[in-house]
């Protein structure tokens, strides 16, 4: 017959079982009386009877559930201390007590709590819906009447909440919401108790001050109030503990946690941090740690001043509380605002002191690492014992029999961050610090340790001079080291060593670094990070005139190297930090403008793209770039205009006195600011009776005079010569080169200055160094008036 399958069970109560019972005889008797158990199962029945005979529940006041939670089974838990042992068979009797007065209700809930603390009884209690409903009703109606009664009932539901299958019933009776209301009420009561106790304390102190002697009655009243306050707080702490524990178990479901958050559970927890009960504080901090992983909860904690409340807990005498408090701080330290608060409230020295505690060292290192991410906070480490401590941890991690053991990653990360601060770097180098670091780095080929040393090398001052002893080791590692990460850091260190007395030319020649540099700058030969460091190294060694000339010649002859360097600038210009350095602190834009009309098409294209990006971020360079593009695009026309203005010179280069109607030189002002050079506005300037030239406009063009037509023909011939030259250069023309070829190449690459300007050397409006021989000075009547006359490029 087909039917619905049902899960059925039969409970056999063994009332006569005790320590002296014969288990085998009892098992045989059970099988004979219960026809549901097959005789072959006798061994399993004996095993179950043995378990029941030896389980701890036979002793008074069980500990089963308390052991699972590990927190709520201490002997001093008031409200469960009665001289009666509960029996699962008398649950109905305990249920009747819940309908009596408060003392009977307390007794009945205490007996049910004894049963609930044993996990084996929870299923049977759960099946009795009357008991669960009665407990929920009593809690809702009478929790304000007695703290012990509320504590017992919440404790019973807490035992149920330890198992997920009972959460549905707890939610059905809305026990979680009721617990939050109870907590809020108890915290308000606590504030009132504190106010009353404070009033009595002030009254007692005022009496001592005014009467100069102690009033016995006032002192007795104050002592009594203080004792009562302590008793009330102890009972309240127990109620808060079981309530928070119940909520913490229910918060296993994220939806339930969101509901708690909406009812301000974060605020309740933070208000509870002012208590002095270690067990309660452990629970509260654990709950806050669980909530802190969500940014909304973290922000609310920050607004309510959680860091200020945690100061008193770091450090503390209770190891478990200290550990969970540090873990909460670690979660909070991901927020930069909260990290700054930790420093402001003086938590940094306290954390450094905990580095010596093995139980908390790792967590503290993570917190300190997060704090060291902020530039302003790094300097505070110099005023603590952090640097000597972590240096000892770093250098001793591979000593003795642990040669192959590397330092903890957290230690290394903290050291790298601190080394980027000048004061901390100086403390690291004190004594033999740098020597020990270099020795260890080359022994283990540790790229992270080399990164730390590289951060030290970037600071000006006495620490940079210490690297002179290790230049040969670094240069040799660049050529021989297999690890690309280690090699990258070595190049970075050499690039930071801007030491005036260092002979870079000897360094390049002795280790044959020029071919290596050239190879690494070839497209595809190295990663972008290494290419960038090589470019920085080139800039450093170019402080030496001989090195600058050597590398400049290489650059001039090698289009691939030029293209690679321009590509590096192109990549760097996308990042805000490097963009500001390139535009404001270097001559790179002027170098790119020089290469904007290079013979190589790819170089021109890359320069145009890079200059376009620079124009978007800097108005001054945008104007200069636009002017240069205009000059290049209209170079023939400008040459013609300038040559016509130069007809007034005599053989020795002096100008004749200005004639009426002629303006100043075109190069004396911005070309783009002279609209008269464009013919669109010329007719308004024409005066038929004078027939004079006005601002480059020739009135002869109006009547087609022979002189004007001859000049136009000459200009046409010149343009044809120029086009012929271009065709010859591109390989499209045959035969001998056209007239004028070789006299001026518009794509000639200018003299490279590698972006460096010598002290006192004059520069043009683009910031490029000027060649003193490329300037021609002319005087116009007055010897004090000078006109610097030059074209878009200086050419020798």
């Amino acid at each position: 017959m087909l039917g619905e399958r049902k899960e059925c069970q039969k409970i056999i109560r063994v009332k006569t079982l005790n320590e002296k019972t014969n288990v085998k005889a009892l098992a045989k008797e059970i099988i004979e009386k219960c026809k549901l158990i097959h005789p072959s199962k006798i061994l399993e029945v004996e095993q179950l009877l043995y378990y029941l005979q030896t389980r701890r529940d036979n002793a008074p006041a069980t500990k089963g559930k308390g052991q699972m939670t590990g927190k709520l089974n201490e002997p001093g838990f008031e409200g469960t201390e009665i001289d009666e042992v509960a029996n699962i068979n008398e649950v109905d009797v305990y249920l009747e007590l819940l309908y009596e007065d408060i003392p009977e209700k307390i007794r009945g809930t205490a007996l049910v709590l004894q049963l609930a603390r044993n996990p084996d009884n929870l299923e049977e209690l759960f099946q009795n819906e009357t008991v669960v409903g009665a407990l929920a009703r009593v809690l809702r109606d009478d929790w304000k009447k007695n703290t012990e009664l509320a504590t017992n009932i919440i404790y019973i539901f807490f035992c149920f909440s330890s198992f997920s299958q009972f959460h549905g019933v707890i939610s059905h009776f809305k026990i979680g919401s009721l617990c939050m209301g109870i907590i809020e009420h108890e915290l308000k009561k606590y504030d009132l108790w504190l106010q009353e106790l404070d009033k009595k304390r002030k009254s007692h102190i005022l009496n001592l001050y005014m009467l100069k002697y102690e009033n016995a009655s006032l002192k007795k009243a104050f002592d009594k109030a203080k004792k009562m306050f302590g008793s009330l707080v102890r009972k309240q702490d127990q109620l808060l503990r079981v309530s928070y524990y119940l909520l913490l178990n229910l918060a296993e479901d994220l939806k339930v946690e969101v509901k708690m958050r909406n009812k301000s559970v974060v605020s309740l927890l933070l208000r509870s941090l002012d208590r002095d009960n270690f067990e309660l504080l452990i629970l509260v901090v654990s709950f806050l740690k669980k909530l802190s992983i969500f940014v909304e909860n973290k922000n609310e904690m920050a607004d309510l001043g959680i860091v200020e409340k945690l100061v008193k807990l770091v450090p503390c005498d209770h190891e478990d509380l200290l550990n969970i408090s540090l873990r909460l701080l670690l979660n909070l330290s991901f927020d930069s605002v909260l990290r700054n608060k930790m420093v402001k409230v003086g938590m940094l020295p306290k954390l450094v002191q905990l580095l010596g505690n093995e139980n908390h060292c790792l967590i503290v290192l993570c917190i300190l690492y997060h704090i060291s991410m902020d530039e302003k906070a790094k300097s505070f480490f110099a005023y603590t014992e952090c640097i000597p401590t972590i240096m000892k941890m770093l250098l001793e991690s591979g000593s003795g029999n642990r040669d192959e053991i590397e330092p903890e990653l957290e230690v290394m990360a903290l050291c790298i961050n601190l080394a980027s601060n000048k004061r901390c770097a100086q403390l690291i180098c004190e004594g033999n610090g740098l020597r020990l670091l270099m020795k260890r780095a080359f022994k283990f080929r540790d790229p992270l340790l080399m990164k730390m040393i590289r951060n030290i090398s970037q600071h000006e001052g006495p620490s940079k001079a210490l690297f002179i002893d290790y230049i040969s080791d670094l240069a040799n590692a660049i050529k021989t080291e297999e690890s690309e990460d280690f090699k990258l850091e070595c190049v970075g260190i050499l690039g930071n060593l801007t030491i005036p007395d260092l002979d870079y030319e000897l360094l390049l020649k002795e280790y044959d670094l020029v071919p290596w540099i050239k190879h690494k700058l070839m497209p595809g030969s190295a990663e972008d990070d290494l290419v960038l460091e090589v470019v920085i190294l080139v800039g450093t060694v170019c402080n030496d005139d001989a090195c600058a000339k050597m590398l400049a010649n290489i650059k001039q002859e090698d289009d691939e190297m030029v293209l690679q360097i321009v590509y590096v600038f192109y990549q760097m210009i996308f990042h805000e930090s490097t963009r500001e350095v390139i535009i404001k602190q270097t001559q790179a834009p002027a170098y790119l403008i020089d290469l904007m009309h290079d013979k190589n098409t790819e170089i021109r294209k890359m320069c145009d793209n890079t200059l376009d990006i620079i124009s978007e971020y800097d108005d001054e360079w945008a104007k200069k770039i636009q002017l240069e593009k205009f000059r290049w695009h209209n170079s023939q026309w400008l040459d013609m205009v300038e040559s016509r203005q130069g007809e007034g010179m005599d053989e020795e280069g002096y100008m004749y006195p200005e004639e009426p109607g002629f303006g100043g030189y075109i190069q004396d002002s911005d070309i783009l600011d002279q609209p008269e050079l464009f013919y669109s506005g010329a007719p308004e300037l024409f005066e038929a009776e004078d027939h004079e030239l006005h601002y480059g406009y020739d009135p002869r063009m109006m009547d087609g005079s022979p002189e004007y037509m001859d000049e136009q023909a000459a200009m046409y011939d010149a343009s044809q010569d120029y086009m012929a030259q271009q065709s010859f250069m591109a390989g499209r023309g045959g035969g001998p080169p056209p007239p004028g070829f070789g006299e001026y190449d518009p794509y000639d690459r200018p003299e490279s200055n590698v972006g460096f300007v010598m002290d006192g050397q004059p520069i043009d409006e683009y910031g490029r160094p000027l060649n003193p021989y490329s300037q021609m000075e002319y005087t116009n009547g007055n010897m004090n008036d000078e006109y610097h006359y030059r074209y878009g490029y200086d050419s020798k």
Side-chain angles (χ1 to χ4, degrees):
M1 180 182 295
L2 298 178
E4 182 182 357
R5 181 177 181 179
K6 297 181 180 179
E7 295 290 339
C8 302
Q9 66 176 1
K10 179 177 178 59
I11 299 176
I12 301 175
R13 303 190 184 279
V14 189
K15 300 181 180 180
T16 60
L17 182 64
N18 54 49
E19 296 178 356
K20 298 180 181 180
T21 302
N22 188 335
V23 175
K24 292 185 178 180
L26 182 58
K28 184 177 180 181
E29 181 182 355
I30 291 174
I31 290 178
E32 290 176 353
K33 293 182 178 181
C34 183
K35 302 302 182 182
L36 298 175
I37 306 177
H38 194 271
S40 62
K41 301 291 185 180
I42 187 171
L43 294 178
E44 296 183 18
V45 175
E46 291 180 6
Q47 183 65 30
L48 291 172
L49 289 173
Y50 177 76
Y51 166 73
L52 293 173
Q53 186 182 40
T54 56
R55 69 177 183 174
R56 297 182 180 181
D57 188 45
N58 291 332
T62 67
K63 291 185 179 180
K65 184 57 187 172
Q67 288 182 345
M68 290 187 65
T69 62
K71 298 296 180 185
L72 301 178
N73 62 337
E74 62 275 359
F77 189 83
E78 300 180 17
T80 61
E81 299 297 323
I82 57 176
D83 298 331
E84 188 176 352
V85 179
N87 192 322
I88 191 66
N89 299 315
E90 299 179 359
V91 173
D92 295 336
V93 178
Y94 306 150
L95 177 62
E96 295 295 332
L97 295 176
L98 298 180
Y99 295 93
E100 303 295 334
D101 293 332
I102 295 298
E104 285 75 17
K105 289 180 179 178
I106 295 175
R107 176 172 170 266
T109 55
L111 291 170
V112 175
L113 177 58
Q114 283 189 27
L115 297 175
R117 293 175 71 175
N118 185 351
D120 297 333
N121 298 326
L122 289 177
E123 184 68 31
E124 189 167 351
L125 289 173
F126 178 75
Q127 297 296 334
N128 195 331
E129 297 180 2
T130 307
V131 175
V132 179
L135 289 170
R137 177 188 58 79
V138 172
L139 178 63
R140 186 175 294 104
D141 295 341
D142 299 332
W143 67 267
K144 289 185 179 179
K145 298 179 181 179
N146 189 276
T147 302
E148 294 179 6
L149 177 62
T151 303
N152 288 344
I153 298 176
I154 294 176
Y155 202 156
I156 293 171
F157 282 106
F158 157 72
C159 293
F160 281 107
S161 70
S162 299
F163 299 92
S164 300
Q165 59 264 37
F166 300 130
H167 285 188
V169 176
I170 298 174
S171 300
H172 173 73
F173 289 105
K174 299 182 179 180
I175 301 300
S177 177
L178 183 57
C179 284
M180 292 191 65
I182 293 173
I183 292 173
E184 185 173 5
H185 178 77
E186 293 297 326
L187 292 177
K188 290 180 179 178
K189 284 172 58 176
Y190 178 77
D191 294 337
L192 292 175
W193 295 344
L194 280 178
Q195 292 177 8
E196 292 295 328
L197 184 64
D198 190 56
K199 288 181 181 179
K200 292 184 179 181
R201 181 187 294 109
K202 289 181 179 179
S203 177
H204 178 58
I205 294 175
L206 181 63
N207 180 74
L208 290 175
Y209 179 75
M210 297 295 294
L211 302 179
K212 305 299 182 182
Y213 65 90
E214 189 173 32
N215 189 313
S217 60
L218 288 177
K219 184 179 184 302
K220 185 176 180 180
F222 173 71
D223 292 341
K224 183 179 180 181
K226 187 176 180 180
K227 185 176 180 181
M228 182 179 296
F229 174 78
S231 176
L232 292 173
V233 169
R234 281 194 299 273
K235 291 182 179 180
Q236 192 181 70
D237 285 346
Q238 294 168 0
L239 176 59
L240 293 177
R241 283 181 59 204
V242 294
S243 300
Y244 279 132
Y245 235 130
L246 172 62
L247 294 175
L248 181 58
N249 287 344
L250 295 178
E252 174 187 278
D253 186 350
L254 187 58
K255 295 181 179 178
V256 176
E257 182 178 317
V258 172
K259 293 180 180 179
M260 294 180 187
R261 194 257 172 186
N262 293 336
K263 291 189 176 183
S264 303
V265 68
V266 175
S267 175
L268 298 177
L269 290 167
L270 283 175
R271 289 168 62 185
S272 302
L273 279 177
D274 297 329
R275 316 293 283 227
D276 296 326
N277 187 299
F278 282 129
E279 315 301 338
L280 174 61
L281 288 175
I282 289 175
L283 182 58
V284 170
V285 176
S286 300
F287 206 157
L288 287 171
K289 174 182 172 292
K290 182 180 186 302
L291 295 172
S292 65
I293 63 176
F294 294 97
V295 66
E296 296 84 0
N297 297 333
K298 182 264 299 178
N299 292 338
E300 186 176 356
M301 294 177 192
D303 295 337
L304 296 174
I306 186 172
V307 174
E308 292 82 353
K309 291 181 178 291
L310 289 176
V311 171
K312 69 173 185 177
L313 302 180
V314 180
C316 63
D317 297 333
H318 200 287
E319 286 291 312
D320 291 337
L321 177 58
L322 177 58
N323 185 270
I324 195 65
S325 299
L326 291 173
R327 292 181 182 275
L328 172 58
L329 282 174
L330 178 59
N331 284 0
L332 298 175
S333 66
F334 285 90
D335 186 283
S336 59
V337 176
L338 292 176
R339 292 199 298 266
N340 291 333
K341 283 189 178 180
M342 293 178 194
V343 176
K344 288 181 180 178
V345 299
M347 196 173 287
L348 183 58
K350 297 180 179 180
L351 293 172
V352 172
Q353 291 177 0
L354 294 174
L355 287 175
N357 190 323
E358 294 183 359
N359 296 329
H360 313 299
C361 181
L362 185 60
I363 304 174
V364 172
L365 283 172
C366 294
I367 299 173
L368 293 177
Y369 167 72
H370 286 169
I371 295 176
S372 68
M373 293 168 60
D374 302 324
E375 290 297 328
K376 294 182 179 179
K378 291 177 183 177
S379 58
F380 291 98
F381 283 86
Y383 302 98
T384 67
E385 294 298 320
C386 181
I387 293 177
T389 303
I390 61 174
M391 283 292 289
K392 183 178 179 181
M393 297 169 64
L394 177 63
L395 296 174
E396 291 182 354
S397 59
S399 60
N401 296 326
R402 302 185 299 168
D403 288 341
E404 301 301 326
I405 298 179
E406 296 181 357
E408 294 288 345
L409 186 62
E410 292 78 9
V411 176
M412 200 67 256
L414 178 59
C415 290
I416 291 173
N417 280 0
L418 294 182
S420 63
N421 178 265
K422 184 175 181 179
R423 176 56 182 157
C424 293
Q426 291 175 348
L427 293 176
I428 292 173
C429 295
E430 282 187 353
N432 296 324
L434 181 60
R435 182 177 66 83
L436 295 174
L437 291 176
M438 293 293 291
K439 181 179 179 181
R440 180 183 178 84
F442 279 96
K443 178 180 179 181
F444 293 100
R445 291 297 190 267
D446 189 349
L448 290 179
L449 191 53
M450 288 301 293
K451 184 180 291 291
M452 173 187 175
I453 298 172
R454 174 183 167 187
N455 284 350
I456 297 174
S457 67
Q458 69 184 356
H459 303 295
E460 299 295 335
S463 59
K464 181 169 290 191
L466 299 175
F467 285 88
I468 295 179
D469 297 336
Y470 309 102
I471 288 180
S472 59
D473 296 329
L474 295 170
N476 186 57
I478 291 176
K479 299 293 292 293
T480 61
E481 183 58 41
E482 296 181 358
S483 172
E484 291 295 327
D485 293 335
F486 191 85
K487 184 185 301 183
L488 173 67
E489 303 304 331
C490 292
V491 176
I493 294 173
L494 287 178
N496 289 334
L497 300 184
T498 53
I499 304 174
D501 298 334
L502 185 59
D503 190 347
Y504 296 103
E505 183 182 11
L506 179 62
L507 178 67
L508 294 179
K509 291 181 178 179
E510 182 174 353
Y511 294 95
D512 196 23
L513 291 179
V514 173
W516 182 85
I517 292 174
K518 179 179 178 180
H519 172 70
K520 292 301 178 183
L521 290 178
M522 299 291 288
S525 62
E527 296 292 335
D528 289 347
D529 291 342
L530 181 58
V531 172
L532 177 59
E533 295 305 324
V534 171
V535 173
I536 294 174
L537 176 61
V538 170
T540 300
V541 300
C542 283
N543 286 328
D544 189 326
D545 293 340
C547 292
K549 184 177 181 181
M550 183 190 310
L551 295 174
N553 291 334
I554 295 175
K555 183 189 72 63
Q556 285 287 112
E557 299 168 359
D558 197 328
D559 284 356
E560 293 294 344
M561 182 173 289
V562 176
L563 178 61
Q564 188 65 21
I565 293 175
V566 175
Y567 177 73
V568 172
F569 287 139
Y570 176 75
Q571 292 293 336
M572 294 172 66
I573 209 70
F574 280 104
H575 306 286
E576 183 177 355
S577 57
T578 52
R579 183 194 310 132
E580 291 296 322
V581 174
I582 290 174
I583 295 177
K584 302 296 184 182
Q585 302 180 19
T586 71
Q587 301 299 320
Y591 169 60
L592 294 172
I593 290 175
D594 283 345
L595 294 173
M596 189 167 57
H597 312 303
D598 193 85
K599 296 178 181 180
N600 189 294
T601 306
E602 293 299 325
I603 293 177
R604 295 201 304 271
K605 181 179 178 181
M606 188 61 64
C607 283
D608 285 340
N609 294 337
T610 309
L611 290 172
D612 288 344
I613 299 174
I614 294 175
S615 300
E616 294 179 6
Y617 292 98
D618 191 279
D619 294 337
E620 183 178 353
W621 276 112
K623 187 175 181 181
K624 295 177 180 179
I625 293 168
Q626 183 183 17
L627 176 59
E628 179 60 28
K629 288 184 177 180
F630 175 83
R631 284 178 171 172
W632 173 256
H633 187 71
N634 301 278
S635 57
Q636 276 194 305
W637 176 73
L638 292 176
D639 290 344
M640 179 197 71
V641 175
E642 291 175 347
S643 63
R644 289 180 59 187
Q645 290 186 350
E647 292 176 357
M649 297 181 186
D650 62 10
E651 295 180 355
E652 297 181 1
Y654 291 98
M655 289 293 297
Y656 295 127
E658 291 187 2
E659 299 180 7
F662 284 88
Y665 293 122
I666 191 172
Q667 69 274 10
D668 292 341
S669 61
D670 193 341
I671 297 175
L672 299 183
D673 293 335
Q674 298 189 26
E676 64 274 8
L677 295 179
F678 302 93
Y679 291 111
S680 60
E684 289 79 0
L685 303 176
F686 176 67
E687 296 180 4
E689 63 273 15
D690 293 334
H691 294 278
E692 294 176 347
L693 295 176
H694 293 274
Y695 297 95
Y697 173 72
D698 193 343
R700 294 173 295 173
M701 65 182 290
M702 299 297 293
D703 57 358
S705 63
E707 295 85 358
Y708 178 78
M709 299 304 294
D710 292 339
E711 290 180 8
Q712 294 300 311
M715 290 177 59
Y716 176 81
D717 293 338
S719 64
Q720 292 299 313
D721 292 342
Y722 173 74
M723 297 301 295
Q725 293 175 14
Q726 295 303 306
S727 298
F728 182 82
M729 290 172 57
R732 295 191 295 269
F741 182 77
E743 298 177 2
Y744 170 68
D745 186 350
Y747 289 108
D748 264 346
R749 187 173 302 164
E751 290 291 336
S752 173
N753 50 63
V754 202
F756 291 94
V757 181
M758 304 302 293
D759 293 338
Q761 184 175 0
I763 59 176
D764 63 6
E765 62 269 24
Y766 296 98
R768 298 174 300 194
L770 290 176
N771 187 338
Y773 298 103
S774 67
Q775 303 179 35
M776 300 177 62
E777 298 181 356
Y778 303 95
T779 58
N780 185 14
N782 188 351
M783 295 297 292
N784 296 325
D785 296 333
E786 297 181 355
Y787 297 88
H788 299 284
Y789 186 85
R790 62 183 182 277
Y791 294 92
Y793 297 107
D794 296 335
S795 58
K796 294 182 181 179

